[in-house]
Amino acid sequence: MTHSIIGVGALGKALTSQFVRFKIPVQITRNSDITALRFMAREMGPCVHAVSVPEALQSDLVFLAIPFDAVATVVGAASSWNGRVVVDCTNAIDLASFTPRALGEQTSSELVESLVQGARLVKAFNTLPAATLAQPAAAAGGHRVLFVSGNVGSAKEEVAQLATAFGFAPIDLGNLSAGGRWRQLGVALMGHNFIRLNSADR
Ligand SMILES: NC(=O)c1ccc[n+]([C@@H]2O[C@H](COP(=O)([O-])OP(=O)(O)OC[C@H]3O[C@@H](n4cnc5c(N)ncnc54)[C@H](OP(=O)(O)O)[C@@H]3O)[C@@H](O)[C@H]2O)c1
């Protein structure tokens, strides 16, 4: 199983640090300055590899940790998806006003899904602030909750398994339409740091 993170800003670095913590190989890429990217990969650890965007797009699990406005251009460079998993970590925000983008009836993840036809899209890793996402997920007497939504159960399961390996407690919010609405900016689940207490398992 190969993993790539496209975008190594605040969110991409936080995600990468989870791979590093559990020594799971991961490829990282960014828009500019490949030399700095290679340096960053070396600094982060031996399981982190700097690659080009086209190489990153070929992984089994491709994480989009880029601004929402860059998604169409980035995923448009993939020749085919062949059922591979794309994890949409973006938030559709108008950065100038920090308000949700007006997308009509569609959720942002449904829009992203329409851009990656042939892939299995999962929305995850977008509700926690990067600084929280980077912390050990097994914490405070339990496991940090990670919300997962998507229209394909097998893909959600693959992402949930990885999240569990990182120490998170994944919670399935349903499909992209229903799940997406729960996790938008200003809505119930966004930004909250929930812990599933170990006692909840008893
Ligand atoms: N920051 C958070 O706490 C947080 C939390 C939840 C969700 N999110 C979401 O995660 C996404 C990333 O946020 P961020 O805060 O990490 O942003 P950021 O710090 O600005 O980083 C964005 C990254 O995306 C890369 N990028 C931009 N356009 C690209 C392109 N065309 N091809 C390849 N890479 C490209 C940038 O490359 P360069 O480095 O070369 O410029 C940079 O590494 C956003 O959609 C945001 O809403 C962020």
Side-chain angles (χ1 to χ4, degrees):
M1 177 78 75
T2 52
H3 306 96
S4 289
I5 300 171
I6 304 186
V8 282
L11 191 79
K13 275 190 207 142
L15 256 177
T16 306
S17 69
Q18 293 292 355
F19 283 91
V20 170
R21 185 166 285 125
F22 294 95
K23 299 184 174 59
I24 301 172
V26 64
Q27 301 185 133
I28 58 170
T29 193
R30 64 187 294 187
N31 194 29
S32 57
D33 203 343
I34 277 287
T35 306
L37 181 71
R38 290 199 190 104
F39 182 76
M40 185 189 293
R42 268 201 305 275
E43 289 278 289
M44 292 193 85
C47 68
V48 184
H49 307 282
V51 297
S52 66
V53 173
E55 283 175 276
L57 286 167
Q58 291 170 25
S59 286
D60 299 319
L61 259 83
V62 177
F63 291 81
L64 301 177
I66 53 180
F68 181 73
D69 291 344
V71 170
T73 309
V74 169
V75 299
S79 50
S80 64
W81 290 103
N82 294 328
R84 289 178 295 113
V85 175
V86 174
V87 186
D88 177 15
C89 313
T90 70
N91 288 319
I93 293 170
D94 178 359
L95 287 174
S97 59
F98 211 73
T99 53
R101 274 285 161 77
L103 299 174
E105 289 301 301
Q106 265 187 327
T107 61
S108 65
S109 49
E110 288 177 298
L111 199 152
V112 174
E113 185 181 50
S114 73
L115 298 172
V116 293
Q117 289 192 10
R120 293 175 292 148
L121 189 89
V122 175
K123 185 85 176 184
F125 297 99
N126 73 311
T127 59
L128 289 167
T132 306
L133 185 66
Q135 298 301 312
H143 297 264
R144 200 178 315 290
V145 166
L146 188 100
F147 297 108
V148 176
S149 43
N151 295 338
V152 185
S154 61
K156 280 192 284 193
E157 187 52 35
E158 283 178 42
V159 175
Q161 277 175 13
L162 181 66
T164 303
F166 288 159
F168 289 97
I171 291 186
D172 185 347
L173 288 184
N175 63 24
L176 294 178
S177 174
R181 288 178 215 293
W182 279 103
R183 58 197 311 158
Q184 285 168 357
L185 194 66
V187 180
L189 303 180
M190 177 56 81
H192 291 295
N193 177 17
F194 298 105
I195 303 285
R196 181 184 168 134
L197 295 174
N198 290 331
S199 58
D201 295 328
R202 286 188 209 131

